[in-house]
Short mmCIF file of all heavy atoms in Angstrom, two decimals:
data_model
loop_
_atom_site.label_atom_id
_atom_site.label_comp_id
_atom_site.label_asym_id
_atom_site.label_seq_id
_atom_site.Cartn_x
_atom_site.Cartn_y
_atom_site.Cartn_z
N GLU A 23 -14.31 10.21 0.37
CA GLU A 23 -15.68 10.07 -0.15
C GLU A 23 -16.25 8.69 0.18
O GLU A 23 -17.43 8.57 0.54
CB GLU A 23 -15.66 10.29 -1.66
CG GLU A 23 -17.04 10.25 -2.30
CD GLU A 23 -17.00 10.53 -3.79
OE1 GLU A 23 -15.97 11.02 -4.28
OE2 GLU A 23 -18.02 10.25 -4.46
N LEU A 24 -15.41 7.66 0.09
CA LEU A 24 -15.88 6.32 0.42
C LEU A 24 -16.26 6.23 1.89
O LEU A 24 -17.33 5.69 2.23
CB LEU A 24 -14.79 5.29 0.09
CG LEU A 24 -15.09 3.85 0.55
CD1 LEU A 24 -16.35 3.30 -0.13
CD2 LEU A 24 -13.89 2.94 0.28
N VAL A 25 -15.41 6.75 2.76
CA VAL A 25 -15.70 6.71 4.20
C VAL A 25 -17.00 7.45 4.49
O VAL A 25 -17.84 6.99 5.28
CB VAL A 25 -14.52 7.29 5.01
CG1 VAL A 25 -14.92 7.51 6.47
CG2 VAL A 25 -13.32 6.35 4.93
N GLU A 26 -17.19 8.59 3.85
CA GLU A 26 -18.45 9.34 4.03
C GLU A 26 -19.64 8.53 3.54
O GLU A 26 -20.71 8.54 4.18
CB GLU A 26 -18.38 10.67 3.27
CG GLU A 26 -17.56 11.73 3.96
CD GLU A 26 -17.70 13.08 3.29
OE1 GLU A 26 -17.86 13.11 2.05
OE2 GLU A 26 -17.64 14.10 4.00
N SER A 27 -19.47 7.82 2.42
CA SER A 27 -20.58 7.03 1.88
C SER A 27 -20.95 5.89 2.83
O SER A 27 -22.08 5.40 2.80
CB SER A 27 -20.22 6.47 0.50
OG SER A 27 -19.31 5.38 0.59
N LEU A 28 -20.01 5.47 3.65
CA LEU A 28 -20.27 4.43 4.63
C LEU A 28 -20.89 4.99 5.90
O LEU A 28 -21.22 4.24 6.82
CB LEU A 28 -18.97 3.69 4.97
CG LEU A 28 -18.34 2.89 3.82
CD1 LEU A 28 -16.94 2.42 4.19
CD2 LEU A 28 -19.22 1.70 3.44
N GLY A 29 -21.03 6.31 5.95
CA GLY A 29 -21.69 6.94 7.08
C GLY A 29 -20.78 7.45 8.16
O GLY A 29 -21.23 7.98 9.18
N ALA A 30 -19.46 7.33 7.97
CA ALA A 30 -18.50 7.78 8.97
C ALA A 30 -17.91 9.14 8.56
O ALA A 30 -18.15 9.63 7.47
CB ALA A 30 -17.40 6.75 9.16
N THR A 31 -17.13 9.72 9.46
CA THR A 31 -16.50 11.01 9.21
C THR A 31 -15.03 10.81 8.91
O THR A 31 -14.27 10.34 9.78
CB THR A 31 -16.65 11.94 10.43
OG1 THR A 31 -18.05 12.16 10.68
CG2 THR A 31 -15.96 13.27 10.19
N PRO A 32 -14.58 11.11 7.68
CA PRO A 32 -13.18 10.88 7.34
C PRO A 32 -12.24 11.94 7.91
O PRO A 32 -12.60 13.11 8.02
CB PRO A 32 -13.18 10.94 5.81
CG PRO A 32 -14.30 11.87 5.48
CD PRO A 32 -15.36 11.64 6.54
N VAL A 33 -11.06 11.51 8.27
CA VAL A 33 -9.95 12.41 8.57
C VAL A 33 -8.93 12.16 7.46
O VAL A 33 -8.20 11.16 7.47
CB VAL A 33 -9.34 12.13 9.95
CG1 VAL A 33 -8.15 13.05 10.20
CG2 VAL A 33 -10.38 12.28 11.04
N ALA A 34 -8.91 13.04 6.48
CA ALA A 34 -8.04 12.87 5.31
C ALA A 34 -6.66 13.42 5.64
O ALA A 34 -6.46 14.63 5.69
CB ALA A 34 -8.64 13.57 4.11
N ASP A 35 -5.72 12.53 5.85
CA ASP A 35 -4.38 12.91 6.32
C ASP A 35 -3.35 12.27 5.40
O ASP A 35 -2.94 11.12 5.61
CB ASP A 35 -4.20 12.42 7.76
CG ASP A 35 -3.03 13.08 8.46
OD1 ASP A 35 -2.36 13.93 7.85
OD2 ASP A 35 -2.79 12.73 9.64
N PRO A 36 -2.88 12.96 4.36
CA PRO A 36 -1.99 12.33 3.38
C PRO A 36 -0.63 12.01 3.99
O PRO A 36 0.14 12.92 4.32
CB PRO A 36 -1.87 13.40 2.28
CG PRO A 36 -2.13 14.69 2.98
CD PRO A 36 -3.13 14.39 4.05
N MET A 37 -0.33 10.73 4.11
CA MET A 37 0.95 10.30 4.68
C MET A 37 1.97 9.93 3.60
O MET A 37 3.10 9.59 3.92
CB MET A 37 0.73 9.10 5.60
CG MET A 37 0.10 9.45 6.93
SD MET A 37 1.18 10.48 7.95
CE MET A 37 0.04 10.98 9.24
N LEU A 38 1.55 10.00 2.34
CA LEU A 38 2.45 9.68 1.24
C LEU A 38 2.31 10.71 0.13
O LEU A 38 1.20 11.13 -0.20
CB LEU A 38 2.15 8.29 0.66
CG LEU A 38 2.35 7.07 1.55
CD1 LEU A 38 1.88 5.81 0.82
CD2 LEU A 38 3.80 6.92 1.95
N ALA A 39 3.44 11.10 -0.44
CA ALA A 39 3.45 11.90 -1.65
C ALA A 39 4.29 11.17 -2.68
O ALA A 39 5.36 10.61 -2.35
CB ALA A 39 4.03 13.29 -1.39
N VAL A 40 3.81 11.12 -3.91
CA VAL A 40 4.47 10.38 -4.98
C VAL A 40 5.23 11.35 -5.88
O VAL A 40 4.64 12.31 -6.40
CB VAL A 40 3.45 9.59 -5.82
CG1 VAL A 40 4.14 8.88 -6.98
CG2 VAL A 40 2.71 8.58 -4.93
N ALA A 41 6.51 11.09 -6.07
CA ALA A 41 7.33 11.90 -6.98
C ALA A 41 7.96 10.98 -8.02
O ALA A 41 8.80 10.13 -7.67
CB ALA A 41 8.41 12.66 -6.22
N ALA A 42 7.55 11.12 -9.26
CA ALA A 42 8.09 10.28 -10.33
C ALA A 42 9.56 10.59 -10.56
O ALA A 42 9.98 11.75 -10.50
CB ALA A 42 7.31 10.49 -11.62
N THR A 43 10.34 9.56 -10.81
CA THR A 43 11.78 9.75 -11.07
C THR A 43 12.07 10.01 -12.54
O THR A 43 13.16 10.44 -12.88
CB THR A 43 12.57 8.51 -10.63
OG1 THR A 43 12.15 7.38 -11.43
CG2 THR A 43 12.35 8.21 -9.15
N GLY A 44 11.11 9.70 -13.40
CA GLY A 44 11.34 9.81 -14.83
C GLY A 44 11.95 8.58 -15.45
O GLY A 44 12.13 8.51 -16.67
N ALA A 45 12.24 7.58 -14.63
CA ALA A 45 12.81 6.33 -15.13
C ALA A 45 11.72 5.44 -15.71
O ALA A 45 10.54 5.59 -15.38
CB ALA A 45 13.55 5.59 -14.01
N ALA A 46 12.11 4.53 -16.56
CA ALA A 46 11.19 3.55 -17.14
C ALA A 46 11.80 2.16 -16.99
O ALA A 46 13.03 2.02 -16.94
CB ALA A 46 10.94 3.85 -18.62
N PRO A 47 10.98 1.13 -16.90
CA PRO A 47 11.53 -0.23 -16.77
C PRO A 47 12.37 -0.61 -17.99
O PRO A 47 12.11 -0.16 -19.11
CB PRO A 47 10.28 -1.12 -16.69
CG PRO A 47 9.18 -0.20 -16.29
CD PRO A 47 9.51 1.13 -16.88
N ARG A 48 13.36 -1.44 -17.76
CA ARG A 48 14.15 -1.98 -18.87
C ARG A 48 13.28 -2.90 -19.71
O ARG A 48 12.41 -3.58 -19.20
CB ARG A 48 15.36 -2.75 -18.32
CG ARG A 48 16.39 -1.85 -17.67
CD ARG A 48 17.53 -2.65 -17.07
NE ARG A 48 18.21 -3.49 -18.06
CZ ARG A 48 19.38 -4.09 -17.84
NH1 ARG A 48 19.98 -3.96 -16.67
NH2 ARG A 48 19.93 -4.83 -18.78
N GLU A 49 13.55 -2.91 -21.00
CA GLU A 49 12.74 -3.71 -21.91
C GLU A 49 13.47 -4.95 -22.42
O GLU A 49 12.98 -5.60 -23.35
CB GLU A 49 12.28 -2.84 -23.09
CG GLU A 49 11.35 -1.71 -22.66
CD GLU A 49 10.83 -0.88 -23.82
OE1 GLU A 49 11.35 -1.05 -24.95
OE2 GLU A 49 9.91 -0.06 -23.60
N ASP A 50 14.61 -5.28 -21.81
CA ASP A 50 15.36 -6.46 -22.25
C ASP A 50 15.28 -7.59 -21.24
O ASP A 50 16.05 -8.55 -21.30
CB ASP A 50 16.82 -6.09 -22.51
CG ASP A 50 17.53 -5.56 -21.27
OD1 ASP A 50 16.86 -5.29 -20.25
OD2 ASP A 50 18.77 -5.38 -21.32
N ALA A 51 14.32 -7.49 -20.29
CA ALA A 51 14.21 -8.51 -19.25
C ALA A 51 13.30 -9.65 -19.70
O ALA A 51 12.40 -9.47 -20.53
CB ALA A 51 13.66 -7.89 -17.96
N ASP A 52 13.54 -10.82 -19.12
CA ASP A 52 12.68 -11.97 -19.39
C ASP A 52 11.39 -11.90 -18.58
O ASP A 52 10.33 -12.36 -19.03
CB ASP A 52 13.42 -13.27 -19.03
CG ASP A 52 14.70 -13.44 -19.82
OD1 ASP A 52 14.63 -13.42 -21.06
OD2 ASP A 52 15.76 -13.58 -19.19
N VAL A 53 11.50 -11.35 -17.37
CA VAL A 53 10.35 -11.24 -16.47
C VAL A 53 10.34 -9.83 -15.88
O VAL A 53 11.37 -9.34 -15.42
CB VAL A 53 10.42 -12.27 -15.32
CG1 VAL A 53 9.18 -12.18 -14.44
CG2 VAL A 53 10.60 -13.69 -15.86
#
Side-chain angles (χ1 to χ4, degrees):
E23 183 177 346
L24 173 62
V25 169
E26 283 189 327
S27 75
L28 295 169
T31 299
V33 178
D35 196 1
M37 286 294 169
L38 296 175
V40 177
T43 63
R48 291 176 58 167
E49 295 183 349
D50 60 350
D52 300 304
V53 183

